[in-house]
Amino acid sequence: MTSMPTTPENDTDLRLKVNRETARLPWSELEKHFAAGTVVFVASDLDLVEVAVRISHDDKATIVQWMADGKVMKVSDQQARHWHQAEASLWTVVVNPFILVQQEKPALH
């Protein structure tokens, strides 16, 4: 019996692992990683866990499209300054060597 190859769409184990490892952290704890160039911004309209799974699977086509759309990118100096001044807390997950960060989705009124 052959097993199906694991793809981002069916990798339930990785999805559960990433979900368990997601946490909120203050920007102040992420600044040293930002200085090292390893912090990646994920737009709030994307699912942080989905992005982590796609990066783990090296899904280049999807990642390149998100980057082209400005939805996944290295954190800019302007974002870093804003988060520092606002004492922001961000959702984070590590996908070695990167730390993905996402602002909380705005509440719907």
Side-chain angles (χ1 to χ4, degrees), residues 44-96:
S44 61
D45 62 333
L46 294 178
D47 182 307
L48 185 62
V49 171
E50 181 68 20
V51 174
V53 168
R54 297 279 175 174
I55 291 172
S56 294
H57 275 272
D58 201 22
D59 180 355
K60 287 186 173 92
T62 302
I63 297 161
V64 165
Q65 185 60 57
W66 285 334
M67 291 172 75
D69 293 343
K71 293 180 181 251
V72 173
M73 66 187 106
K74 292 251 179 145
V75 171
S76 70
D77 291 345
Q78 183 179 354
Q79 283 174 311
R81 253 190 314 279
H82 171 74
W83 290 335
H84 177 80
Q85 291 167 348
E87 297 180 8
S89 184
L90 305 166
W91 284 106
T92 64
V93 68
V94 174
V95 180
N96 207 9

